[in-house]
Amino acid sequence: ITSGTNTWTVSGNIDFTGGTYTASQGAGENLLVMNGTGGKTITGNSQSLRNFSVDPTSSDTITLTGSDLTVARNITIGSNDTLSIGSGRTITYSGATDIIWGNASSTISGSGKLTITDASSGPGIDGTLSTNVRFDATNASIVAGTIDARTYGGTVEFFSNSTSSRTATLAT
């Protein structure tokens, strides 16, 4: 699937298994919006999205299952909505902006892991973050402003798979 540079809205489940998703860059920067209700799922198959929005038509949960997913630009969680990361699954976020939270009841939860890379601006201070979070300094140090001063409801891990010295600077 080549997404183009517009919005792709899906009200059902998404399963990228057995396929390749090409996230086009350019004007409009493509956006995948999951707006279905009734506990919809996304199976990432280690695909990379540019922008990902969880915004069901009513308060609901979208769950990452089956395999991992990378988001390179923006994650948006709609008001009163939840992105749940399933057990053993990881969403890697490298966006240059904070995660966009619809309101204080917007949530990222689950027993999986949200990995925030050195290129990311961090999770931000809004919404509820109750999943496990890994700050990954493999490619570079984690600068101030990426590790936001907020409540983390799960395990927080600082990680580097580099032989070079790395630092992680906490927000003050």
Side-chain angles (χ1 to χ4, degrees):
I1 298 171
T2 301
S3 65
T5 58
N6 296 310
T7 300
W8 180 31
T9 302
V10 178
S11 57
N13 297 320
I14 298 174
D15 187 344
F16 288 117
T17 304
T20 301
Y21 179 81
T22 304
S24 300
Q25 298 180 33
E29 294 285 345
N30 71 42
L31 167 63
L32 172 59
V33 177
M34 290 191 71
N35 70 351
T37 58
K40 300 304 179 197
T41 62
I42 180 168
T43 302
N45 193 34
S46 300
Q47 300 298 321
S48 182
L49 306 175
R50 294 289 292 162
N51 299 289
F52 180 51
S53 178
V54 172
D55 196 10
T57 54
S58 62
S59 298
D60 211 335
T61 300
I62 304 291
T63 303
L64 176 69
T65 63
S67 56
D68 302 336
L69 184 68
T70 296
V71 180
R73 188 152 177 172
N74 289 315
I75 294 176
T76 302
I77 310 298
S79 295
N80 303 313
D81 294 323
T82 299
L83 171 59
S84 178
I85 305 172
S87 178
R89 302 286 48 102
T90 299
I91 293 178
T92 300
Y93 180 57
S94 59
T97 60
D98 289 346
I99 292 172
I100 301 166
W101 304 90
N103 63 14
S105 296
S106 303
T107 302
I108 298 178
S109 67
S111 57
K113 182 179 351 181
L114 174 65
T115 296
I116 298 173
T117 70
D118 61 275
S120 174
S121 183
I125 58 172
D126 300 320
T128 301
L129 186 56
S130 60
T131 194
N132 302 310
V133 177
R134 171 187 274 190
F135 289 94
D136 188 344
T138 297
N139 295 319
S141 293
I142 304 289
V143 299
T146 299
I147 306 169
D148 295 303
R150 63 165 299 129
T151 300
Y152 292 89
T155 302
V156 177
E157 174 184 40
F158 300 98
F159 174 83
S160 177
N161 194 25
S162 172
T163 57
S164 299
S165 176
R166 300 282 191 243
T167 60
T169 304
L170 304 176
T172 56

